[in-house]
Each structure stands twice: as structure tokens, then as C-alpha cells.
């Protein structure tokens, strides 16, 4: 459920900020996200894990992960990720409670 790239499927269209010339390939990732609905459920097996799906469409992501991932996540924003990824939101809420203690 918590592969980092699952969070990017909260709005895979934001990959366009890092890959502006790959709009047609990013469209395929948007279609995957729309078909599955919940980004946290995209991780069905090792061959279809979120990172594998992104790399299948954007092969350079394999080498760009460390830079592209955080940049795209920043474009998506924590609010959208929390809204679309219930388990992630619950995990963050639990951490926030620890901060209050």
C-alpha cells in the first residue's frame, strides 16, 4: 500500500512538470489511476507496482526517481495525497497525534 509512487498516482497528470514532452505516456498513467480509483490499490503485484507502471511508460523515471519523485509529489501536494490515499492519511494523522503528545 505504501510504495512512494502510489502517492504519485493521486494525480499522475502532475508528471508533466518533470516530463513535459511525454503527455501521451502520462495520459496512460492517468487512465490507470482512473480505472483503479484508489492509488493505494495500484500495487497489485511486483510486475504492476506503481513504480513499475511509471517506468513502463517513462523509462527514464528509473534513473530520475530521486529527483522526479519529490518534485512531482510537491506538485500534487499533501492535501490531494491525503484525500485520495486513505491509509496514508490515517498514518499521517497518527503521527500528528504523536506530535501533540
Amino acid at each position: 500500500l505504501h510504495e512512494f509512487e502510489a502517492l504519485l498516482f493521486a494525480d499522475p497528470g502532475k508528471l508533466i512538470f518533470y516530463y513535459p514532452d511525454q503527455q501521451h505516456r502520462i495520459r496512460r498513467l492517468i487512465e490507470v489511476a482512473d480505472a483503479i480509483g484508489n492509488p493505494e490499490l495500484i500495487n497489485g503485484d511486483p510486475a504492476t507496482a506503481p513504480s513499475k507502471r511509471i517506468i513502463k511508460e517513462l523509462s527514464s523515471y528509473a534513473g530520475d526517481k530521486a529527483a522526479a519523485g519529490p518534485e512531482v509529489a510537491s506538485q500534487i501536494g499533501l492535501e490531494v495525497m491525503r484525500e485520495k490515499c486513505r491509509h496514508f492519511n490515517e498514518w499521517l494523522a497518527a503521527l500528528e497525534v504523536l506530535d501533540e503528545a
Side-chain angles (χ1 to χ4, degrees), residues 41-58:
L41 299 180
I42 290 174
N43 199 3
D45 69 50
T48 61
S51 62
K52 301 288 193 262
R53 290 178 189 258
I54 293 172
I55 291 167
K56 179 181 175 189
E57 296 300 331
L58 304 166

Side-chain angles (χ1 to χ4, degrees), residues 4-5 8 15 18-19 21-22 54-55 58-72:
F4 171 76
E5 282 77 9
L8 302 185
L15 284 157
Y18 206 86
Y19 301 99
D21 60 336
Q22 298 296 317
I54 293 172
I55 291 167
L58 304 166
S59 60
S60 62
Y61 183 79
D64 297 341
K65 258 177 128 167
E71 177 64 29
V72 173

Side-chain angles (χ1 to χ4, degrees), residues 2 4 11 26 31 49 66 84:
H2 295 105
F4 171 76
D11 187 355
I26 292 168
E31 290 169 1
K84 298 222 177 155

Side-chain angles (χ1 to χ4, degrees), residues 7 10 12-13 16 25-26 30 33 35-36 39 43 56 64 67 70 75 80 84-88 91 94:
L7 299 174
I16 200 73
R25 294 185 172 277
I26 292 168
I30 293 168
I36 294 175
N43 199 3
K56 179 181 175 189
D64 297 341
Q75 293 294 326
V80 171
K84 298 222 177 155
C85 303
R86 183 177 56 95
H87 291 98
F88 177 67
W91 177 68

